[in-house]
Amino acid sequence: MSDEAGSSTRKETALHEHWCEHPGCETWGSFGFAAGKAEPRWFCMEHRPEWKPRHA
Ligand SMILES: [Zn+2]
């Protein structure tokens, strides 16, 4: 990987800590949401997206 410039800090942090991604929110992201192969996104209980159960 050669993306040292840019979001490396965020990446390293995400390995061990995941805070709510809501702008300005500094709450621990207790809820992880992964869409397909995208990296999981974390939100606190207040800002978590509406969870829609998958239907096959
Ligand atoms: Zn939040």
Side-chain angles (χ1 to χ4, degrees), residues 20-38:
C20 175
E21 293 194 3
H22 189 83
C25 183
E26 296 182 348
T27 307
W28 177 258
S30 303
F31 297 88
F33 294 86
K37 294 183 179 179

Side-chain angles (χ1 to χ4, degrees), residues 21 32-42 54:
E21 293 194 3
F33 294 86
K37 294 183 179 179
E39 292 185 24
R41 303 181 64 189
W42 298 89
R54 285 193 177 189

Side-chain angles (χ1 to χ4, degrees), residues 1-31:
M1 304 295 282
S2 59
D3 58 338
E4 294 181 359
S7 58
S8 59
T9 302
R10 180 189 178 92
K11 221 171 198 177
E12 292 175 8
T13 304
L15 289 175
H16 303 286
E17 301 181 355
H18 43 82
W19 302 97
C20 175
E21 293 194 3
H22 189 83
C25 183
E26 296 182 348
T27 307
W28 177 258
S30 303
F31 297 88

